[in-house]
Amino acid sequence: MVDEWGLWCDGEPGSNPFFMYQQSTMRDALVAGITLNIFNKHCDRVHMANIAQVVNVVQAMVLTNGEKMLLTPTYYVFKMYKNHQNAALVESWFEGVKEIGLESEYKVPELFESVSISEDGTVNVTLNNLSVDENVTLEIVFDDFKPKTIAGEILTADMKAHNTFENSDTVKSVVFDAFRTDHKSLWVDLPSCSIIHLSIMP
């Protein structure tokens, strides 16, 4: 059981430091996507995991100010990943993915993924492109079927982009259709700094 995961950054200027109120950016969304993909790929061992806080504290999904409320980029990641719940993990892996990072000891894979299949047969694929400036074209190869119908959703923005009470829709998930099929392959164009969910019916 993983308790209270998430980013803990400096509080917003002028806020009470003990309340740990911080803004949530696209960077936080990428961390959430990576983390949920890792949890999903190790669901044989991770039976429960909780983000540290939901409202107004650390990497929250909702921020409030009096009667005002906004949804953070992290909220949209949870929304996009919900189809993994109660689904069966499908083995998946990347080939030829490069590592990125400023120093050799801090390099990480450029792409992260996890795949599951829901009770109705829908294959759920969640992808993260961590690069801040490089798009990636990815070929997904299916061993047992050819995709018939595909629906996509994407969350992408500048790494520092975030929602405010004045502009609450700066970062939000939208329909994604930058993909094409070829026999048993699905080609996907992943923009830099993006999180994608694909619902695929065989």
Side-chain angles (χ1 to χ4, degrees):
M1 296 184 183
V2 183
D3 189 28
E4 293 201 3
W5 64 268
L7 288 179
W8 185 353
C9 303
D10 292 337
E12 286 296 287
S15 65
N16 187 325
F18 294 103
F19 294 165
M20 296 179 285
Y21 179 92
Q22 69 182 49
Q23 184 54 264
S24 180
T25 67
M26 188 64 201
R27 175 202 57 190
D28 299 74
L30 286 170
V31 169
I34 295 168
T35 304
L36 293 177
N37 274 337
I38 292 172
F39 289 160
N40 194 41
K41 290 176 75 72
H42 295 87
C43 60
D44 58 330
R45 285 176 285 168
V46 180
H47 295 280
M48 183 172 75
N50 306 291
I51 194 166
Q53 307 291 341
V54 177
V55 180
N56 283 350
V57 180
V58 193
Q59 189 178 349
M61 289 178 271
V62 175
L63 297 180
T64 67
N65 182 8
E67 295 182 353
K68 298 179 181 179
M69 184 187 83
L70 64 82
L71 303 175
T72 69
T74 297
Y75 164 86
Y76 289 103
V77 176
F78 271 75
K79 174 177 174 285
M80 294 168 68
Y81 279 59
K82 66 183 179 182
N83 292 318
H84 284 311
Q85 285 189 309
N86 299 317
L89 179 67
V90 174
E91 185 179 7
S92 62
W93 65 91
F94 284 124
E95 293 181 356
V97 173
K98 69 177 183 179
E99 292 190 333
I100 58 175
L102 298 179
E103 300 177 34
S104 59
E105 61 266 33
Y106 298 118
K107 287 188 179 296
V108 297
E110 183 177 37
L111 305 177
F112 279 77
E113 102 299 335
S114 69
V115 182
S116 68
I117 185 167
S118 301
E119 291 183 357
D120 66 356
T122 302
V123 176
N124 309 292
V125 179
T126 46
L127 303 164
N128 315 130
N129 181 359
L130 306 190
S131 175
V132 298
D133 56 11
E134 289 190 19
N135 302 337
V136 175
T137 297
L138 174 68
E139 180 187 12
I140 303 175
V141 180
F142 299 94
D143 286 338
D144 299 328
F145 69 88
K146 178 181 179 180
K148 291 182 180 178
T149 62
I150 306 166
E153 190 174 10
I154 187 172
L155 184 72
T156 186
D158 178 82
M159 188 72 75
K160 296 180 181 179
H162 58 277
N163 295 328
T164 66
F165 295 107
E166 293 73 31
N167 297 288
S168 60
D169 291 333
T170 300
V171 184
K172 65 178 182 179
S173 60
V174 296
V175 172
F176 174 76
D177 59 6
F179 51 78
R180 60 195 182 280
T181 59
D182 178 16
H183 301 295
K184 287 188 177 181
S185 294
L186 171 63
W187 296 86
V188 184
D189 297 324
L190 283 72
S192 61
C193 195
S194 66
I195 300 163
I196 291 172
H197 169 245
L198 300 172
S199 294
I200 304 164
M201 285 299 293

